[in-house]
Amino acid sequence: MNIAQYSMERKTSSWLLLLILLIGGLVSLTQLGRLEDPKFTIKQAMVITQYPGASAQQVEEEVSYPLENAIQELSYVDHVRSISKPGLSQITVEMKSIYRADDLEQIWDELRRKVNDAARALPPGTKTPMVRDDFADVYGVLLAITGDGYSYQDIEHYADFLKRELVLVDGVGKVVETGQQQQQVVVEVSRAKLSNVGIPPARIANLLTTQNTVADAGRVTIEDEAFRIATSGEFESVEELASLVISNPGAEQRISLKDVADVYRTVAEIPQQIVRYNGLPSVWLGLSFADNVNVVDVGERVESRLDELNYAQPIGMQLARIYDQPHAVENSVNNFLLNLVEAVAIVIIALLLTMGFRSGLLIGSVLLLTVLGTFIFMNVFAINLQRVSLGALIIALGMLVDNAIVIADGIAVGMRRGQSKLQAAVITVKQNQWALLGGTVIGIIAFAPIGLSADATGEFAGSLFWVLLISLLLSWITALILIPFLADRLYSQKDINSNTGGDTNSDVYSHPVYQAYRRFLQLCLRHRVFTMLLMAALLVVSAAGFKQVKQAFFPPSTTPMFYVDLWYPQGTDIRTTAQDSSRLEQFLLQQPQVVSVSTTVGQGAPRFTLTYLVEKAYESYAQLIVRAQDTEAMEQLMAKVREQIRRAHPQVEDKLVRVEIGPATPAKIEARISGAEPEVLRQLAKQVETILRDDRGAMNIRHDWRNKTKLLRPRFDESAARRLGVTKQDVNDLLRTNFVGRQVGLYRDGTELLPIISRAPASERVDLDNWQELQIYSPVMDRYLPLAQVVRRIDVEWENALIMRRDRKRTITIMADHDVLGEETATAVFERVRPKIEALELPLGYQLEWGGQYEAANKAQSALFSSLPLGFLVMFIITVLLFNSARLGLVLWTTVPLSIVGVTAGLLILDKPFGFMALLGFLSLSGMLIKNGVVLLEQVNVELAEGKAPHQALVDASVSRVRPVAMAAATTILGMLPLLFDDFFASMATVIMFGLGFATVLTLIVVPVMYLLIAPQPR
């Protein structure tokens, strides 16, 4: 039984399918998870190792190098990058992009084992390496807690309270704090008082270290009952610590710590990170979401819980949102759903106007049911509503009606020729079902390189393929089942015949449009060689014109938020960085376009969006996260900020960054030079920077090794020190105690372990000019002596404070960007400077690599093109199998390269760049072209089977396919209109709209002409 006959005679089954799609789709739409971007795993981890007192070179050679070697042995590793600076090694491990989230747990475990094994061979004094595999977590809700007049400790207590409560909210995965200041207990020991009482500083340090240590004193059994022994003496309060007896053993005088020192609790003098919100000291809370949740619902639960906890918020404290992903997702998804509704409405209106009310209603209804049915399968396969999946639905809209148009039009034509509805439906479905399936599969395979890519591209944009796969296959099923079923209810012989004046034997293609096309087609067929030469000339012209098209990878986001990166000279104290950046912060807060300014000093903020690039720890770095009223205000504001920085902060290397949609890189243009000698690397970097500065479009020019910094090197007199019993460690402890303070123990305060810091009082902390006055204790002489007796002098030297390595080689990266406020793209600047930089003569053993946008785009495109040949081969094989002819397959594929004519024209007219999404659009366009050609050639076979002459069969088949092909193209083009106003999909929509518009001409003219030229002619 024919499937059309089954659907029309078994009405209950057809009604059941219709209701399942309608009701199930509406229910599934409410249950689908909602995200801003597709779930994507950033495959990076950090290995952080402290090596106190070591220079950057010592850290590199003794810590970073052996750890890198161990890590590189893992087969999963793609790249290993390290930053070595005084006292700290930061290694970033990036795994190959083929691995997914499920693979990473085991990979991180193996990474830890490798690091732990290598740690045993690290030099004495090195701390245990810490592996952070949550470095890539995204904290979609970023809250700022401020309290004017409150201390950091008060703000942190409230932040801790919220953290404990919010982590229990269903759907919240993790809550982290940022900006909390290290609390510590300071013991300011007076050297003069110590000298008077004859107590060596080592005794105080030893008492503070041992007195508060928790140690096992054993147990004792008395009359069958076990008693645990716990000796008292642990400090219960700072006052008790100050009362610690420090007298020398056997001394009659009882001396307490408070007699020679001031003891108090405070925050660390040199913070690790400082965060502010609108100029006020702040603590930030970042909330990440659990897997497979609707972040909009989780956001509502978080909001509700915060309202419930409002009772505990101290008066005067404020809770603000730096970033609220649930709100952004809700707006984004709602806008996309609106775009989807608009696109559906546009397609239905176009069908109603061009195909008549009944046909338009029939096809529009099936289109809506297909979209709703797609939601059902998206829910089953856990495909969330997000930017890519919703965009895929809009892209699919025009393609979804192709099958329905062919079947509906065929039924209508059959009825006009006097057939019954059942006969027309059965014949139409029988003639077209396999050709439509082949065309549908070809359209799906065109997107397969995206979904089947093993690269990160496949992970990010994979839902594009799967949604199209589901929706297009479903459109084939609904076209074969629901179109005949609904046509049986909507079509009437009277209504169909009214279009032909009631004469069922009249030529159904006698309309002037058909006749005009028939005459033009016959003209082209007579002059087929000239027609193809004309097409070839157009192809050459468009290929030349394509060079004028702007090139870009991904467009910036329309979110009215931007970042201001401030790089002060390397070696700048973090407090100076914070103080100077606050001046720019205050300038911004005075601007009426500004909604909020969030500042982080010392390192980047928690990753609050997928594309946010978290900067590592640098004291000289500050970032301002600025939210403006709208996009237009943001662009005006960015220009003001740039001018203000140039005028009031000349010492700063600044960078203005818009929120990105695609992969983020430290700079759009990156030249990496690898080699052995730091000085040679710096010289080569200077040459590259000179080339970049000479280019009119390059901005933010810098390199990642930064400037050299000054080093103070006390010259230790070893022979004199030995006579006095003074060690190098004693000198280091004295200097650290005097200028910074050193940790000598721990103070327990409930769940907190606070370091006890010993340092000299402010009155005794001499400056560097009077370092000889520092007093160091000599155990041999049993008294304090001037430091000058064991240190001859203090020299000032220069050192590399940062040593960067990539894949175990020293690598300096020179970075630049295009003008984000200008019209020129980064690709245009890169293409100008690239040949000049590559022309530099590098010494033997040194090599140049390109990073930045160039590398990211190449990775994405190479991953895409790696599976492209196989996809195109499968598409070609299907076309050959459909017609049992390789020549007919070539006829169809002739149209694909010619489509660049429309693509080039569209990109130039609308001034859109050709980027990664445009490339995806071109791939999808190829599938659409082949599908339309398949439908036309299948009709040629039908006409030939009826006994017509080849030429007449070709013309009649082409005329009969004018409306299906033209309507399929028109609905696709019109359905793309909403995407033209979305930055992410605009270039893709342009490619499809203009490419398909010209491709309609190709299908209706070029395919018949090529058929006559190369197809085998039946005898």
Side-chain angles (χ1 to χ4, degrees):
M1 181 183 290
N2 184 280
I3 192 169
Q5 183 179 353
Y6 181 91
S7 69
M8 296 172 75
E9 293 180 350
R10 303 289 181 91
K11 298 178 176 59
T12 303
S13 300
S14 299
W15 276 117
L16 181 62
L17 174 62
L18 188 150
L19 291 173
I20 287 174
L21 294 177
L22 178 63
I23 299 172
L26 292 172
V27 172
S28 296
L29 179 59
T30 62
Q31 296 177 343
L32 283 171
R34 284 164 164 78
L35 297 173
E36 185 174 15
D37 289 299
K39 186 180 177 184
F40 179 75
T41 309
I42 300 175
K43 303 159 187 69
Q44 292 181 350
M46 284 190 68
V47 180
I48 303 171
T49 312
Q50 295 184 23
Y51 188 10
S55 67
Q57 184 170 338
Q58 288 172 322
V59 169
E60 177 206 23
E61 294 172 348
E62 300 176 25
V63 177
S64 298
Y65 180 76
L67 288 179
E68 286 172 359
N69 283 342
I71 293 168
Q72 202 81 47
E73 292 174 1
L74 291 171
S75 59
Y76 319 104
V77 171
D78 191 11
H79 294 294
V80 177
R81 301 187 301 275
S82 69
I83 304 173
S84 300
K85 55 185 183 178
L88 183 66
S89 166
Q90 299 177 89
I91 300 175
T92 302
V93 188
E94 185 173 350
M95 299 301 171
K96 293 175 182 175
S97 57
I98 60 174
Y99 298 109
R100 299 294 186 253
D102 295 339
D103 305 317
L104 289 179
E105 288 188 15
Q106 179 183 346
I107 291 174
W108 299 146
D109 286 342
E110 292 191 39
L111 173 65
R112 282 189 174 85
R113 286 198 293 272
K114 280 288 184 184
V115 171
N116 289 338
D117 289 345
R120 299 191 185 105
L122 295 180
T126 307
K127 307 293 184 183
T128 303
M130 178 177 65
V131 178
R132 283 187 54 194
D133 60 7
D134 62 349
F135 172 69
D137 286 354
V138 177
Y139 300 94
V141 175
L142 191 58
L143 305 174
I145 304 169
T146 57
D148 197 6
Y150 283 92
S151 67
Y152 262 117
Q153 190 173 2
D154 295 330
I155 298 174
E156 286 175 19
H157 282 165
Y158 180 54
D160 287 339
F161 167 74
L162 289 180
K163 179 180 178 180
R164 291 194 302 270
E165 295 294 333
L166 293 177
V167 77
L168 300 176
V169 174
D170 185 28
V172 173
K174 189 188 299 183
V175 182
V176 297
E177 286 184 60
T178 300
Q180 63 269 44
Q181 300 302 300
Q182 175 66 60
Q183 297 283 324
Q184 61 186 23
V185 175
V186 176
V187 179
E188 290 190 340
V189 183
S190 169
R191 290 189 304 274
K193 292 180 180 178
L194 272 183
S195 180
N196 290 337
V197 297
I199 297 176
R203 173 164 177 73
I204 296 178
N206 184 57
L207 285 172
L208 291 173
T209 301
T210 58
Q211 181 78 13
N212 211 32
T213 301
V214 174
D216 185 9
R219 55 179 277 175
V220 63
T221 303
I222 303 175
E223 296 180 357
D224 299 329
E225 187 174 358
F227 292 82
R228 185 175 69 87
I229 304 172
T231 309
S232 65
E234 296 177 17
F235 307 128
E236 299 286 339
S237 65
V238 174
E239 291 74 19
E240 188 174 333
L241 171 61
S243 300
L244 175 68
V245 177
I246 62 171
S247 307
N248 287 322
E252 296 182 3
Q253 186 179 10
R254 182 184 177 90
I255 302 173
S256 301
L257 181 60
K258 61 186 176 183
D259 295 327
V260 297
D262 292 327
V263 183
Y264 57 92
R265 179 171 175 166
T266 186
V267 297
E269 191 172 17
I270 304 176
Q272 296 295 314
Q273 184 181 10
I274 301 170
V275 299
R276 295 189 295 262
Y277 182 78
N278 285 346
L280 295 176
S282 178
V283 172
W284 294 355
L285 285 181
L287 282 69
S288 66
F289 300 105
D291 293 336
N292 298 319
V293 297
N294 185 326
V295 299
V296 177
D297 292 343
V298 178
E300 290 174 354
R301 290 196 286 271
V302 169
E303 185 73 28
S304 175
R305 186 57 181 151
L306 286 173
D307 289 341
E308 293 171 3
L309 297 174
N310 194 51
Y311 73 90
Q313 183 171 330
I315 297 174
M317 277 198 191
Q318 303 295 326
L319 186 64
R321 286 162 179 75
I322 297 173
Y323 192 78
D324 189 353
Q325 190 184 86
H327 180 70
V329 168
E330 186 174 21
N331 288 339
S332 176
V333 171
N334 287 344
N335 287 338
F336 268 111
L337 287 175
L338 179 62
N339 287 344
L340 181 60
V341 171
E342 289 173 351
V344 171
I346 290 170
V347 170
I348 291 175
I349 291 171
L351 292 169
L352 291 173
L353 292 176
T354 56
M355 299 197 68
F357 177 78
R358 291 177 183 270
S359 293
L361 181 62
L362 169 63
I363 298 171
S365 300
V366 172
L367 169 64
L368 188 59
L369 289 170
T370 305
V371 172
L372 291 173
T374 303
F375 289 142
I376 297 175
F377 288 97
M378 288 175 65
N379 195 20
V380 170
F381 295 113
I383 301 174
N384 298 311
L385 290 178
Q386 27 81 359
R387 188 193 307 276
V388 173
S389 62
L390 282 168
L393 278 174
I394 299 175
I395 292 170
L397 278 182
M399 302 168 69
L400 295 182
V401 298
D402 289 1
N403 297 327
I405 288 175
V406 171
I407 300 298
D409 188 64
I411 294 173
V413 169
M415 292 176 66
R416 289 184 194 131
R417 288 174 171 168
Q419 300 169 356
S420 68
K421 284 186 280 189
L422 180 59
Q423 286 177 322
V426 169
I427 292 172
T428 300
V429 169
K430 185 177 180 180
Q431 287 179 347
N432 293 284
Q433 58 185 351
W434 300 119
L436 291 179
L437 177 61
T440 300
V441 171
I442 287 171
I444 292 169
I445 292 174
F447 289 91
I450 308 165
L452 303 181
S453 170
D455 191 74
T457 309
E459 187 177 7
F460 183 80
S463 58
L464 187 72
F465 167 73
W466 296 111
V467 170
L468 284 162
L469 170 69
I470 293 167
S471 59
L472 291 180
L473 283 179
L474 191 58
S475 76
W476 179 73
I477 294 170
T478 54
L480 299 187
I481 298 175
L482 294 182
I483 288 291
F485 169 68
L486 293 175
D488 189 33
R489 270 130 194 84
L490 289 174
Y491 283 175
S492 67
Q493 196 68 50
K494 179 181 178 182
D495 180 65
I496 294 295
N497 290 342
S498 66
N499 293 325
T500 59
D503 183 5
T504 58
N505 295 317
S506 65
D507 185 1
V508 295
Y509 300 113
S510 59
H511 192 278
V513 173
Y514 292 119
Q515 295 302 320
Y517 168 68
R518 182 187 295 271
R519 288 192 294 272
F520 183 71
L521 176 61
Q522 288 175 336
L523 177 66
C524 292
L525 291 175
R526 283 196 300 271
H527 303 284
R528 45 188 175 270
V529 174
F530 174 78
T531 301
M532 293 313 300
L533 288 175
L534 179 62
M535 289 295 171
L538 283 175
L539 177 61
V540 172
V541 171
S542 61
F546 191 78
K547 295 180 180 178
Q548 307 303 316
V549 174
K550 293 191 294 187
Q551 303 292 311
F553 187 31
F554 277 102
S557 170
T558 54
T559 303
M561 178 185 286
F562 67 97
Y563 316 125
V564 184
D565 286 345
L566 303 174
W567 289 92
Y568 291 83
Q570 185 66 25
T572 303
D573 188 274
I574 189 172
R575 292 162 292 184
T576 303
T577 304
Q579 183 178 3
D580 192 76
S581 61
S582 68
R583 294 195 294 122
L584 182 60
E585 189 178 60
Q586 293 304 316
F587 168 80
L588 280 164
L589 291 173
Q590 294 168 9
Q591 307 306 311
Q593 305 101 320
V594 171
V595 175
S596 66
V597 181
S598 308
T599 305
T600 174
V601 182
Q603 65 185 69
R607 192 188 305 274
F608 56 89
T609 67
L610 188 64
T611 58
Y612 176 75
L613 197 66
V614 181
E615 192 56 77
K616 308 291 193 306
Y618 301 97
E619 285 193 50
S620 57
Y621 172 77
Q623 183 182 68
L624 280 62
I625 304 170
V626 185
R627 181 175 286 277
Q629 293 173 341
D630 51 48
T631 306
E632 184 179 348
M634 180 183 71
E635 292 177 354
Q636 298 172 0
L637 194 59
M638 291 174 75
K640 285 185 180 180
V641 171
R642 177 182 288 175
E643 182 182 348
Q644 175 68 10
I645 293 174
R646 300 287 188 273
R647 184 180 59 81
H649 305 265
Q651 81 281 24
V652 172
E653 292 179 358
D654 66 289
K655 179 181 177 182
L656 302 181
V657 186
R658 292 185 62 172
V659 177
E660 298 281 347
I661 291 179
T665 55
K668 296 295 183 185
I669 302 168
E670 294 181 3
R672 292 194 293 260
I673 302 177
S674 300
E677 292 298 324
E679 288 307 313
V680 176
L681 291 175
R682 286 185 176 275
Q683 290 169 9
L684 293 171
K686 188 176 293 186
Q687 295 177 39
V688 174
E689 286 182 331
T690 300
I691 294 173
L692 290 169
R693 293 187 198 282
D694 290 341
D695 187 89
R696 66 183 184 280
M699 302 189 69
N700 311 327
I701 300 161
R702 63 205 185 281
H703 64 74
D704 60 352
W705 283 44
R706 313 278 296 148
N707 56 280
K708 287 187 175 183
T709 58
K710 295 175 183 176
L711 166 71
L712 298 177
R713 188 176 294 282
R715 296 298 177 180
F716 183 60
D717 188 339
E718 189 171 347
S719 59
R722 290 290 176 269
R723 291 196 306 273
L724 298 172
V726 176
T727 65
K728 179 184 174 184
Q729 185 62 47
D730 294 332
V731 174
N732 289 338
D733 289 345
L734 172 66
L735 294 172
R736 182 171 179 82
T737 301
N738 184 79
F739 293 108
V740 180
R742 68 185 181 98
Q743 182 175 338
V744 293
L746 287 174
Y747 173 80
R748 291 177 173 77
D749 184 9
T751 58
E752 294 183 273
L753 296 177
L754 308 184
I756 301 175
I757 303 298
S758 173
R759 70 184 183 198
S763 59
E764 296 185 16
R765 281 186 240 163
V766 298
D767 57 32
L768 195 60
D769 292 336
N770 301 315
W771 63 269
Q772 295 92 342
E773 297 180 11
L774 287 172
Q775 300 291 305
I776 190 166
Y777 184 79
S778 168
V780 174
M781 306 294 291
D782 194 23
R783 62 187 177 88
Y784 286 90
L785 301 171
L787 181 61
Q789 292 200 16
V790 293
V791 173
R792 296 191 299 272
R793 65 182 188 277
I794 297 181
D795 295 337
V796 178
E797 300 178 359
W798 291 91
E799 69 170 346
N800 288 307
L802 297 172
I803 298 178
M804 307 293 189
R805 296 167 63 89
R806 178 182 170 86
D807 294 335
R808 297 180 294 176
K809 294 183 288 189
R810 286 175 175 167
T811 303
I812 192 167
T813 303
I814 305 94
M815 296 171 280
D817 296 284
H818 67 299
D819 186 356
V820 294
L821 302 180
E823 293 296 323
E824 194 172 42
T825 64
T827 303
V829 178
F830 174 72
E831 291 300 332
R832 278 202 307 272
V833 301
R834 179 181 180 181
K836 299 176 184 177
I837 294 174
E838 289 181 346
L840 291 175
E841 187 174 345
L842 300 180
L844 187 65
Y846 292 77
Q847 61 186 30
L848 168 69
E849 283 184 346
W850 292 106
Q853 181 176 281
Y854 173 80
E855 180 182 50
N858 276 358
K859 277 186 176 181
Q861 291 171 9
S862 62
L864 188 63
F865 285 119
S866 64
S867 52
L868 199 58
L870 179 60
F872 277 169
L873 178 62
V874 173
M875 291 167 68
F876 181 74
I877 290 173
I878 292 174
T879 57
V880 172
L881 293 177
L882 279 173
F883 301 104
N884 195 30
S885 170
R887 291 188 180 183
L888 288 182
L890 288 175
V891 168
L892 294 176
W893 280 88
T894 306
T895 60
V896 174
L898 287 172
S899 63
I900 196 174
V901 176
V903 170
T904 301
L907 292 173
L908 289 175
I909 290 170
L910 296 185
D911 194 29
K912 299 294 183 184
F914 187 84
F916 183 71
M917 296 306 293
L919 177 61
L920 299 187
F922 186 76
L923 295 179
S924 67
L925 180 61
S926 65
M928 297 176 193
L929 294 179
I930 300 298
K931 183 179 180 182
N932 286 340
V934 165
V935 172
L936 192 154
L937 291 185
E938 180 63 26
Q939 187 63 30
V940 174
N941 288 340
V942 171
E943 301 288 343
L944 287 172
E946 293 178 358
K948 294 182 180 180
H951 189 280
Q952 187 62 38
L954 180 62
V955 174
D956 288 349
S958 300
V959 171
S960 71
R961 284 301 176 228
V962 166
R963 184 158 70 166
V965 170
M967 281 307 305
T971 51
T972 301
I973 291 169
L974 293 172
M976 289 287 112
L977 280 176
L979 290 189
L980 272 182
F981 305 99
D982 183 279
D983 283 351
F984 187 71
F985 286 105
S987 59
M988 173 187 276
T990 301
V991 167
I992 293 176
M993 291 174 69
F994 283 84
L996 193 58
F998 185 76
T1000 304
V1001 177
L1002 298 180
T1003 303
L1004 295 174
I1005 299 297
V1006 174
V1007 170
V1009 169
M1010 287 297 298
Y1011 184 91
L1012 272 188
L1013 283 172
I1014 67 172
Q1017 303 300 318
R1019 300 186 180 185

